Amino acid sequence: MHDERRRIEERAERLHNQRIKTAIYAATVPLTVEAWQAPGEPVPFEEAAAASYEPFAMDTPWGPPWGTTWFRMRGQVPAEWAGRRVEAVIDLGFVGDWPGNQAEALVHLTDGTPLKAVNPLNQYVAIANPATGGEEIHYLVEAASNPDILANNFSEPTPMGDILTAGNKPLYTFQRADLAVLDEEVFHLDLDLQVLRELMVHLGEHEPRRHEILHALDRAMDALDLDDVSGSAAAVREVLAPVLAKPAHASAHTVSGVGHAHIDSAWLWPIRETKRKTSRTFSNVTSLADEYDDFIFACSQAQQYEWVRDNYPKVWARIQESVKKGQWAPVGGMWVESDGNLPGGEAIARQLVHGKRFFIEHFGIETKGVWLPDSFGYNAAYPQLAKLAGNEWFLTQKISWNQTNKFPHHTFWWEGIDGTRIFTHFPPVDTYNARFSGEEMDRAVRNYQEKGAGTRSLAPFGWGDGGGGPTREIMERARRLADLEGSPKVVVEHPDDFFAKAREEYPDAPVWNGELYLELHRATYTSQARTKQGNRRSEHKLREAELWATTAALHAPGYTYPYEKLDRLWKTVLLHQFHDILPGSSIAWVHREAEAEYARVAKELEELTAEAVAALGGGAARVFNTSPFDRAEVVRTTEGAPTYVEVPASGSAPLAAAESPQAVTVAGRVLDNGLVRVEVAEDGTLASVRDLRAGGREVLADKGNLLRLHTDLPNYWDAWDIDKHYRNRYTDLLDADSVAVVEEDPLLGAIRVERSFGKGSKLTQTITLRAGSPRIDFETDIDWHEAEKILKAGFPVDIRAPHSSAEIQFGHIQRPTHTNTSWEAARFEVSGHRWVHIAEPGYGVAVINDSTYGHDVSRTVREDGGTTTRVSLSLVRAPRIPDPEADQGRHRFVYSLLPGASIEDAVAEGYALNLPLRVADSAGAPEPVVSVDGEGVTVEAVKLADDESGDVVVRLYESRGGRAHGVLRTGFPLAGAQVTDLLERPLEDADVEAGTVPVSLRPFQILTLRLRRG
């Protein structure tokens, strides 16, 4: 047989694209269109309905950046269309085919009922088959003219990312607003051809099936009447029917399709636009559910449901109905799909608590899995947190983006730092926006790592990132691929059903231990430093407010615990932990608003804490310690004078000077407190740090606190990525404008270093040593005006450390300091929370911070044979895409060097730096709500139970990485105790002995106790 593949493939392609697709709509009549430009921010439907509209013609530019234009559309169905499927077809002037980052619209009836959204690949609004024709059509269409931030493939900065800088030039040209007859036979022929052509080109050239489809296409094109595509469509389909009817091989892989619409809660659009995106997407999804009984849609992020409930009650009612029918599956059980590395441990617990509770309360459904396809890596505490919230499975996708190493599993047990395992799947289709294309189905099978042991994988399908969701075309593809030779089998089903089947067939799946590190997007640990600082400080202020509110509720008559306020503030912080807000990868508008929200949260939490402390009674000044560790340190009085005080963990003490330790001496540029001696060089770096407790051991191997300005232009994804080549070009900041002693007191000494550098940037650091503490603080104030740079602070330590330890949620992880393998070499920038620790047997050093997450640890051998282990904190970056002004301006933060530190010291000082002592007038001297005897047993949260029963809830964890035994004591009469899950539901009774609760924890175990008051 002659090889005619090229002729047939090109013939099928041309006829499909130029004749069949263009015949899907058989007849059209234009709608009459009028327009009204809403001033400023979006307006309610009622206001738009009452507005004055002007005539509007097709091919007219419309829509300033971030604007809203309402269109009134009217028409009448022609009588001759009676009994046919009629649709309104609207093209706003779409660019490309991605619905998430351009013009979008929501179509309403005149009574305000949302019908459906329109976007590039979903331009229709169905009109029920008219019985007689002549029906009047009257729509109000809310169109958003969101700018295309991705224009030119992120190649250059754009001012479009903020309404303040985007200008007002119209962005789009309206193309079409018609009533049209959908030719259903041609519509289905189009889908038949799509599926067969895509299947064919992804089969091997040696496969008989490929050639069978090829010649069937040739015969089908022979049956197509070019002068009557509609009239011949049925005959063409009849030719194709035999090849579409051939069943899949018995051993074919099964793809479990789950409808999905990934909606970033903010990214290339602000939060206010996401609220509208949810209404548009969810309207589309519920409309699709009405058309396809076999459709199932999985949707996460309780926050987005709440937005719809509050702003679009009619869409909310449709969601509730779809849930009842089993077509809508709430998943994920989190308030938002948060970043996987940066939120604190208690914050991730609250993500799960608030998310799961929402779904239980509003749908009567307890979600079974964590749905996090798009976060930038996942911390190793997740398995335990997920299980403690009642979850059975975990789904992710983003690890497929690894730059260097291919992740070895798709279905596996993920083991966390405490030993908890959770059944985990990583879809081999390598997207959470699948469309069941031939390429995707081929990739899912080819990519699947579990061949021979597992037979199924999951594919979330539907347009996403900016919403959109599944379309009827995708559902039609799924139906054709349900049992088709040469393709994996596609079944649309609930993700719970997929996970149950996958676990049943593969119970002994391999185990992955530790973090799921993404070998990409490493700069998300640093970009938009003020957003990250706002999150860190909010988390700690929430802890502080809950502790002192609980104390006041227990001991202050008449005080009312602020349940509603704390709930609302937590949800605000949780929202901003979304995986494109907290990582710093959103447009300027998002981060501008985030900073304002964090300021508001901080103000309100300060007020709540002050109210709680004041409720304990006015009187003499006291010091309040929110940390779970006893503190003996220098604090400033309200007048600013330093005082050395001792305060119990989670308790308070009078502001009275305790017995002072050895005084701090200042001699030239040398600070000495009898524990450490710090010498500041003329250039403002640390020339020497000697640990006097270790016989005067020199801690540094070279200049300490060396500020290094690196060129930082990644290959792509500026705000997201830091590529390894950043290390190759840098400038050490060694020119100090001034180095001077600014404080000389027996309780503290301080030296200030001022620098100017780069493009007008200025940096002031106050290096402080306090009496009684070996911790050296670097209080830093930067006025930053660089572009495409990253500033790091390095501490080269004379320690041969085989690994570094970095705090993560409810524990810490160890990472090798060598680069023996590609996996280790790829971790050239990593994340941590309040501290990083390095050690050799007998001696360790920690670097503590109050708002920094990104860092690197490297190791070199010196000419003298000694080893230098260098810890470098990433302080601030200057990416220009998607926010051209990212990180510009003022930054204030503190980081510290802690010589002679154990892990326990690092944990305690991490809390201390992030939870400064509070001085306030109070006559109350209550016992701490809880105290713990036993090393390693650390209190993370103290609060009243969410059910307003008055019970006290305490969350503990083991913080050293070993076994821990202790006794929990209460500052109130204890009537009973229960071990609970994260949602404060009882798991078992806890032992109570003489009014105390004995506690035994395995390494890094999290324990939630519910304490009943006597």
Side-chain angles (χ1 to χ4, degrees):
M1 182 183 290
H2 297 299
D3 185 354
E4 294 196 274
R5 284 175 298 172
R6 180 175 176 180
R7 175 189 66 80
I8 298 170
E9 289 174 3
E10 290 178 350
R11 179 192 189 196
E13 180 180 16
R14 180 174 186 181
L15 294 182
H16 184 195
N17 291 335
Q18 296 183 9
R19 300 303 173 90
I20 295 169
K21 284 185 177 296
T22 58
I24 289 176
Y25 286 108
T28 64
V29 295
L31 290 163
T32 300
V33 181
E34 299 170 293
W36 173 68
Q37 174 69 48
E41 287 296 282
V43 301
F45 174 86
E46 292 75 17
E47 183 176 340
S52 297
Y53 286 73
E54 300 290 336
F56 184 88
M58 294 301 98
D59 298 319
T60 299
W62 70 278
W66 305 113
T68 301
T69 305
W70 285 81
F71 294 99
R72 178 180 286 152
M73 299 184 183
R74 293 175 171 147
Q76 186 175 43
V77 178
E80 61 270 24
W81 291 3
R84 306 182 71 180
R85 175 159 178 142
V86 180
E87 297 178 345
V89 182
I90 301 168
D91 184 346
L92 302 171
F94 299 118
V95 294
D97 59 5
W98 182 36
N101 188 40
Q102 59 168 297
E104 300 177 66
L106 181 61
V107 180
H108 302 76
L109 293 176
T110 54
D111 66 357
T113 300
L115 286 181
K116 186 178 171 295
V118 291
N119 58 51
L121 293 182
N122 206 338
Q123 297 182 17
Y124 73 94
V125 179
I127 299 167
N129 289 354
T132 61
E135 286 82 1
E136 296 285 343
I137 305 301
H138 189 174
Y139 293 148
L140 277 176
V141 180
E142 181 191 27
S145 47
N146 300 328
D148 180 9
I149 304 297
L150 277 174
N152 302 318
N153 208 25
F154 269 169
S155 61
E156 57 188 35
T158 173
M160 290 293 179
D162 197 329
I163 197 170
L164 301 180
T165 57
N168 56 15
K169 182 180 179 181
L171 297 176
Y172 299 99
T173 301
F174 211 116
Q175 296 296 311
R176 179 181 188 184
D178 296 331
L179 290 178
V181 174
L182 178 72
D183 190 320
E184 297 188 69
E185 200 68 47
V186 177
F187 170 79
H188 285 288
L189 173 58
D190 171 53
L191 271 300
D192 292 345
L193 285 169
Q194 283 185 42
V195 168
L196 287 172
R197 287 181 57 212
E198 291 177 3
L199 173 61
M200 176 185 69
V201 299
H202 285 93
L203 289 169
E205 293 185 1
H206 63 284
E207 295 278 355
R209 175 66 165 160
R210 175 169 181 154
H211 297 273
E212 178 186 39
I213 295 172
L214 179 78
H215 289 282
L217 290 174
D218 201 23
R219 293 192 301 273
M221 296 305 98
D222 288 341
L224 181 68
D225 184 344
L226 300 186
D227 296 321
D228 187 8
V229 172
S230 177
S232 60
V236 178
R237 294 193 71 204
E238 188 174 342
V239 175
L240 296 175
V243 288
L244 281 167
K246 284 204 169 182
H249 297 303
S251 60
H253 183 77
T254 298
V255 172
S256 294
V258 180
H260 187 44
H262 188 69
I263 305 177
D264 287 320
S265 290
W267 179 29
L268 305 179
W269 47 85
I271 287 172
R272 71 91 146 137
E273 193 57 32
T274 312
K275 295 177 182 179
R276 300 203 293 178
K277 283 177 175 290
T278 57
S279 69
R280 294 190 282 255
T281 294
F282 295 170
S283 296
N284 282 357
V285 169
T286 52
S287 295
L288 195 64
D290 291 338
E291 289 191 68
Y292 291 88
D293 291 340
D294 53 340
F295 173 58
I296 294 177
F297 178 73
C299 186
S300 66
Q301 304 197 78
Q303 171 69 87
Q304 294 183 3
Y305 286 77
E306 185 174 82
W307 284 334
V308 174
R309 184 198 67 188
D310 293 346
N311 299 300
Y312 299 89
K314 293 180 180 179
V315 178
W316 172 249
R318 285 156 58 180
I319 292 172
Q320 289 179 307
E321 186 60 31
S322 291
V323 171
K324 289 177 185 176
K325 289 162 53 179
Q327 290 188 275
W328 186 296
V331 294
M334 296 179 71
W335 191 247
V336 296
E337 290 184 15
S338 70
D339 181 81
N341 290 310
L342 305 178
E346 188 61 25
I348 291 183
R350 304 299 176 96
Q351 289 281 1
L352 292 160
V353 166
H354 285 293
K356 293 201 69 154
R357 280 212 186 115
F358 185 92
F359 296 133
I360 291 169
E361 177 184 350
H362 294 287
F363 302 121
I365 290 175
E366 178 160 0
T367 55
K368 294 183 179 180
V370 177
W371 182 280
L372 272 180
D374 189 33
S375 292
F376 311 141
Y378 307 90
N379 73 81
Y382 250 123
Q384 184 180 192
L385 287 165
K387 292 296 284 290
L388 286 173
N391 292 296
E392 300 172 1
W393 54 261
F394 191 98
L395 177 132
T396 176
Q397 178 65 69
K398 203 72 171 193
I399 302 300
S400 65
W401 287 39
N402 272 6
Q403 273 183 324
T404 306
N405 297 285
K406 183 177 176 64
F407 194 76
H409 312 299
H410 283 107
T411 299
F412 58 100
W413 289 96
W414 182 17
E415 182 177 305
I417 51 174
D418 73 308
T420 299
R421 293 179 179 180
I422 191 165
F423 194 72
T424 301
H425 184 67
F426 163 36
V429 72
D430 276 1
T431 179
Y432 47 84
N433 297 322
R435 299 187 292 281
F436 296 130
S437 68
E439 178 187 8
E440 289 171 347
M441 295 300 93
D442 177 65
R443 181 168 64 243
V445 176
R446 178 169 30 87
N447 213 17
Y448 186 56
Q449 304 269 41
E450 320 306 324
K451 296 182 185 76
T455 65
R456 60 184 67 243
S457 64
L458 187 143
F461 67 87
W463 293 92
D465 285 331
T471 62
R472 62 186 178 188
E473 289 80 8
I474 300 176
M475 279 301 298
E476 290 292 339
R477 287 169 173 267
R479 286 180 169 182
R480 287 161 174 78
L481 294 171
D483 192 12
L484 182 62
E485 183 186 353
S487 170
K489 299 175 185 177
V490 171
V491 55
V492 177
E493 63 181 345
H494 195 294
D496 287 348
D497 295 333
F498 162 76
F499 275 94
K501 293 171 185 175
R503 182 171 176 175
E504 181 180 6
E505 76 169 4
Y506 200 16
D508 58 344
V511 176
W512 180 269
N513 179 269
E515 66 181 327
L516 295 175
Y517 176 85
L518 177 62
E519 296 175 358
L520 194 74
H521 292 359
R522 302 167 181 91
T524 58
Y525 315 144
T526 305
S527 296
Q528 298 285 3
R530 284 183 293 267
T531 297
K532 291 173 171 59
Q533 185 178 76
N535 174 74
R536 175 78 70 84
R537 295 186 180 174
S538 295
E539 289 179 348
H540 288 81
K541 285 183 179 295
L542 279 161
R543 173 197 179 105
E544 187 176 31
E546 286 184 337
L547 173 64
W548 300 115
T550 303
T551 305
L554 294 174
H555 299 290
Y559 177 82
T560 301
Y561 189 85
Y563 291 101
E564 184 278 330
K565 291 180 180 179
L566 287 169
D567 180 81
R568 173 172 46 80
L569 291 165
W570 260 116
K571 287 175 179 175
T572 299
V573 174
L574 298 180
L575 166 59
H576 288 84
Q577 291 176 343
F578 179 75
H579 63 251
D580 275 307
I581 303 178
L582 183 52
S585 48
S586 288
I587 57 173
W589 191 347
V590 173
H591 292 288
R592 172 170 57 83
E593 290 191 332
E595 289 179 38
E597 280 293 276
Y598 284 131
R600 182 186 63 77
V601 167
K603 180 176 183 295
E604 194 165 348
L605 287 170
E606 277 292 318
E607 291 170 353
L608 288 180
T609 301
E611 288 169 6
V613 170
L616 297 171
R622 293 183 68 83
V623 183
F624 294 81
N625 173 22
T626 308
S627 164
F629 294 91
D630 295 341
R631 307 265 285 272
E633 62 184 71
V634 176
V635 65
R636 291 189 185 274
T637 67
T638 52
E639 291 78 26
T643 302
Y644 188 77
V645 296
E646 295 178 352
V647 195
S650 305
S652 66
L655 181 60
E659 182 178 347
S660 296
Q662 181 175 330
V664 177
T665 61
V666 181
R669 297 188 305 275
V670 177
L671 308 175
D672 188 327
N673 66 357
L675 303 176
V676 293
R677 182 181 298 123
V678 181
E679 180 181 347
V680 179
E682 288 185 12
D683 59 17
T685 62
L686 299 186
S688 171
V689 174
R690 292 197 174 272
D691 189 339
L692 305 180
R693 302 162 301 168
R697 172 176 177 150
E698 176 59 59
V699 174
L700 300 176
D702 203 341
K703 291 179 180 291
N705 190 39
L706 176 63
L707 297 169
R708 182 166 282 178
L709 187 66
H710 295 260
T711 297
D712 178 24
L713 183 65
N715 293 342
Y716 198 56
W717 300 105
D718 291 27
W720 291 259
D721 287 352
I722 178 170
D723 287 338
K724 204 169 189 174
H725 52 250
Y726 88 89
R727 294 175 168 179
N728 301 336
R729 188 175 181 85
Y730 58 84
T731 300
D732 289 339
L733 304 186
L734 296 175
D735 295 327
D737 299 336
S738 67
V739 180
V741 174
V742 292
E743 190 143 21
E744 189 171 355
D745 184 277
L747 291 179
L748 62 87
I751 295 173
R752 182 166 296 157
V753 179
E754 296 181 347
R755 302 183 188 279
S756 303
F757 61 93
K759 298 181 178 180
S761 297
K762 295 183 181 297
L763 181 145
T764 299
Q765 284 195 318
T766 303
I767 304 169
T768 303
L769 183 66
R770 295 172 175 82
S773 173
R775 196 181 85 199
I776 308 155
D777 290 344
F778 302 86
E779 300 171 47
T780 306
D781 189 316
I782 302 178
D783 188 12
W784 177 251
H785 297 286
E786 304 308 299
E788 296 168 350
K789 297 288 191 293
I790 184 171
L791 182 66
K792 283 181 167 267
F795 292 93
V797 181
D798 189 9
I799 282 179
R800 183 170 176 79
H803 60 259
S804 65
S805 298
E807 186 189 39
I808 64 166
Q809 298 81 352
F810 292 107
H812 59 269
I813 60 170
Q814 295 181 343
R815 300 180 177 110
T817 54
H818 59 75
T819 54
N820 284 356
T821 71
S822 58
W823 292 88
E824 291 145 1
R827 285 173 165 82
F828 58 83
E829 181 82 0
V830 292
S831 66
H833 281 221
R834 291 170 291 213
W835 53 267
V836 181
H837 182 265
I838 56 173
E840 61 188 22
Y843 196 80
V845 169
V847 178
I848 319 288
N849 73 84
D850 75 348
S851 56
T852 300
Y853 295 89
H855 67 275
D856 70 270
V857 181
S858 59
R859 195 175 72 179
T860 57
V861 176
R862 306 187 299 272
E863 289 186 3
D864 64 3
T867 298
T868 300
T869 303
R870 184 185 189 92
V871 179
S872 294
L873 297 181
S874 300
L875 303 180
V876 63
R877 296 186 71 229
R880 302 177 66 214
I881 299 171
D883 175 6
E885 297 297 318
D887 280 317
Q888 298 300 299
R890 295 291 292 276
H891 301 269
R892 297 180 179 87
F893 50 84
V894 182
Y895 58 89
S896 309
L897 181 68
L898 185 64
S902 63
I903 290 289
E904 296 93 322
D905 296 330
V907 173
E909 290 300 322
Y911 277 107
L913 185 64
N914 283 269
L915 292 165
L917 296 173
R918 173 182 291 270
V919 177
D921 290 342
S922 176
E927 291 293 314
V929 176
V930 294
S931 57
V932 178
D933 300 330
E935 293 185 0
V937 182
T938 303
V939 177
E940 179 62 16
V942 177
K943 58 190 286 292
L944 289 191
D946 292 338
D947 62 7
E948 302 190 23
S949 62
D951 291 350
V952 176
V953 172
V954 180
R955 192 134 37 238
L956 312 159
Y957 73 105
E958 196 288 314
S959 60
R960 299 178 305 170
R963 300 274 175 179
H965 304 281
V967 175
L968 181 141
R969 307 178 190 280
T970 63
F972 56 89
L974 180 63
Q978 290 176 319
V979 176
T980 75
D981 65 6
L982 294 184
L983 279 71
E984 301 171 9
R985 300 175 298 194
L987 299 175
E988 62 185 18
D989 288 336
D991 293 335
V992 176
E993 300 176 1
T996 66
V997 182
V999 176
S1000 294
L1001 300 176
R1002 65 178 181 271
F1004 300 128
Q1005 181 183 354
I1006 302 166
L1007 180 68
T1008 304
L1009 293 174
R1010 185 179 183 123
L1011 309 175
R1012 191 169 71 255
R1013 293 151 61 182

